[in-house]
Amino acid sequence: MDENIESHSLSILLHFLSPSSTWLSMHCSEARLDTIEAQRSTDMSHDQRRQRSFLMKMINKGACMISSRGLPQGPQLMEDTETVPKFLTNLKLSDLNNRPGEDVLMNPEIFSAMRGGNIDFLKKMKTNETTPMACLKNNKGDSILHIASSWGHLELVKGIISECPSLLLEKNSKYQLPLHVAAGAGYSAIVKVLVESLTYFSAGLHEEDKANLNLYVMKDINGDTALHLALKDLHKKTEVRMYHNRIRLLIFMTHLMNKKVIISSPDTSIRQMELAAYLVKANQQASFLENKDGVSPLYMAVEAGNVSLVNAMLNLPGNNVQGKTFDLASILEGRKSLVHAALKAKNTDVLDVILNKYPSLVNERDEERRTCLSVGASVGFYKGIYKLLVLSTPPNVYECDGDDNDGSFAIHMAVEKGHMDIVKELLKRCPDAIYLLNEQGQNILHIAAKRGKAESFLLGYVRKLDTKNHLIEEQDVDGNTPLHLATIHWRPRRMDASKKHYA
């Protein structure tokens, strides 16, 4: 009994300590007075008032074409009307075009009500015949649907869509749709409602017309889709979460030493991953689109180390055909160095998924022209290096980094960072790699002497392979031997060890 109470208390404590707490992030990021934001006296510019999204124009054109074809425009769009959400049952396709007029700056009372999730106020707004609520915008171009979505007010969102479905297509000053806003805020329930709405309206359309309602590929001012925003900074949050979890475990370790208590820590990152998976299921194409930083949601998912999400993104129709693999390079925008990202994340499961589906990616180089082996050796990911060596031994071992990376090889990077287990594995498979030189004419002993990362065992291990002392006596382009560099960088212990091993 006491153990159960203790476990429940610890779970509650961990929830509020969680670095990814939704409550904490929401209140920290939105700690502004409503009246300051809503009561700005500056009128909306002429351009902003006249702004219409390109998507709205396409929908207007598409709706006319659909109407002329005699296609159904009401609830019949969905084959099974029993599955239509209640808030959508009275809507028809033409309602998407029902944009009653120019933008009107909303007053502080409306803004506060929307932020507060006041659904009764929405009913009051319906009776206002002077200003249609679909025209209301704040100074950032947010509609009432943007505001309700950003604050996670589910019932209010449903009510707004039921009254003003055209707001599904409205963009704010950042070119973000309500779908962007909800995904970025991490509100999965809101995203599902928005997706349901889009699915309802597009269900009976021809493929060419469905493209006009594909909001999943629409990009904001930074080139981000809704899927990008759902995954934004997730890999960083994952690292922070892992660090905080270790701290918490240390705090409670003594207390829990002799008790069978399970600590459960609610994790916002898990919820974000579920949200992202839902968006991938709705539209897989968005997984491969780059933003202005040249990063795709697929690349972000690999960085975050989520194997199920990466699997879902890579589960392309062409891959289901026996003996055929879809050409990922033809559709993936931006950074294509997925193996490099998996190595940096030190995630063997994600690495397996990528290499099993697209083994040729082992030969890709990143934006700095570094090889996969070089990156894996640099971060010290032994398991990843082992897998790469199984696939690419020996060619990639003898490929150096390009551009501004001084022509270093994977073994040089491992020595520089002090990852001796990787050095041994590389030499075990490719003994001749011990003689590789970078552009400065330096071998692994030069680098060890310069960086001071090598342990004494490296010198002994090298001597077994280099029986004629070529490495210790070899000069770089400046005429320096490893002993010279050890002296220059004042590493007396390295000097003594070198003299002892090569005496």
Side-chain angles (χ1 to χ4, degrees), residues 436-475:
L436 292 172
L437 304 176
N438 61 17
E439 290 180 353
Q440 295 175 318
Q442 296 174 339
N443 61 45
I444 60 175
L445 292 185
H446 285 94
I447 295 169
K450 185 168 58 175
R451 300 297 182 185
K453 293 287 186 179
E455 301 295 337
S456 59
F457 102 88
L458 175 62
L459 296 169
Y461 192 82
V462 167
R463 190 178 183 185
K464 294 177 183 178
L465 299 175
D466 181 32
T467 56
K468 296 184 178 180
N469 296 348
H470 287 311
L471 295 180
I472 196 66
E473 297 173 356
E474 191 165 29
Q475 297 180 346

Side-chain angles (χ1 to χ4, degrees), residues 277 280 284 307-316:
V280 172
Q284 195 177 18
V307 63
S308 60
L309 189 57
V310 172
N311 235 331
M313 291 177 171
L314 289 177
N315 190 24
L316 299 165

